Amino acid sequence: MGALAWLFLKRKSREGTMLHVNRILIALGMASVVASGISGTKAHAQADPNSAPTPYRTVENWAKLPEGRTWGQVISADIDRDRKSIWVVERCGGTSCAKSDLAPILKFDSSGNLVKSLGAGMIVRPHGLFIDKNNNVWVTDGDGEGGKGHQVFEFSQDGKMLLALGKAGVAGDSPDTFNKPSDVLVAPNGNIFVADGHGPGSNARIVKFSADGKFIKAWGKQGSEPGEFNNPHSLAMDSKGRLFVADRGNSRIQIFDQDGKFLEEWRQFGRPSGVFIDKDDVLYVADSESNMARNPGFRRGIRIGSVKDGKVTAFIPDPVMNPGQGFEPGNGTAAEGVAADEAGNVYGAEVGPRNFKRYVKK
């Protein structure tokens, strides 16, 4: 073999080796990103996102509806300031309250007895629910019909409307309009945050108001980059004042400060429909949509962890799944809304099955 041929083969061999090494490094880098579940931040996720223990048992038919009334789509839940009673929103026995005279906002005591009902005839498609520090009740109306909808309401415990944001029946993206608002949250200082948008043709932003309802700012647009959204579906806030957004269409939680500065994103809690943070900074995330096509590898259910380190410590799997699988093409069989009371009982608001479940520790 000539000297030139030998040098050529040696160079190609070296290039082949380097190409192989680069492929390994790229694969390891991708694996690291997948394992971390976040962009450019420390790793949180376990190798198997479904491997956390399930230290809960299910309590069916816990909440007692009046005779003759059945659950419609149950979308959201929150805990009363007594830390024992539970508020829940359901769609008037069906998929909408537009043509119903039933009250969609219900309060149950710790034994499951219905003690209050609010909002009859006022809301088209109730979606988000929040109980503020004054025990006032906030709800978003996620659609429009008949001159109503696309608004955010604040009620007293007795059902008196205290504040209305947005224009009744008007969908828009201006400072005083919404388009299918999904959730609302009131910070300890009284500032109001609205997750505005629910899928194609609506908005994809977070809107911030002062305590008296004056527009402060909005951030976000449709997309998948940090600070962009694809269906911002639910909101929660931790003890540090960080805002957690369930960016469901992007299968991630985005974390912001209260001025809209992006801090971090987490993917280890699945494809989030609902987020809830209790007084001890325990994070509860309801995943009602993961499957092989959307967020492969994750089973639907409720994941529980800490906002302090981002670790998933418990998992309540979707009971509809086949054991050990959970990648069926269907969706919507697990809870979309989630909350937890002072005793650590977990509540799942289910849209598809039209049910409201209670999970208690074994």
Side-chain angles (χ1 to χ4, degrees), residues 7-8 12 26 46 56 78 82 85 119 149 153 167 184 246 274 280 301 337-338 343:
L7 288 172
F8 176 80
K12 294 300 289 183
I26 290 170
Q46 300 161 227
Y56 295 87
D78 202 2
D82 67 9
S85 304
F153 299 107
K167 294 181 179 179
V184 59
D280 297 317
V338 63

Side-chain angles (χ1 to χ4, degrees), residues 62-66 80 82 84-88 105-118 157-158:
W62 166 79
K64 306 171 186 67
L65 290 173
D80 192 84
D82 67 9
K84 297 178 182 178
S85 304
I86 300 91
W87 290 85
V88 63
I105 309 167
L106 308 175
K107 180 182 179 181
F108 296 89
D109 65 19
S110 58
S111 298
N113 299 305
L114 180 64
V115 294
K116 285 182 183 292
S117 56
L118 314 176
Q157 288 264 329
D158 295 325

Side-chain angles (χ1 to χ4, degrees), residues 130-133 138 184-193 211 237:
F130 184 79
I131 310 301
D132 70 18
K133 66 179 181 180
W138 296 74
V184 59
L185 178 147
V186 182
N189 67 359
N191 284 339
I192 305 159
F193 295 86
M237 185 170 285

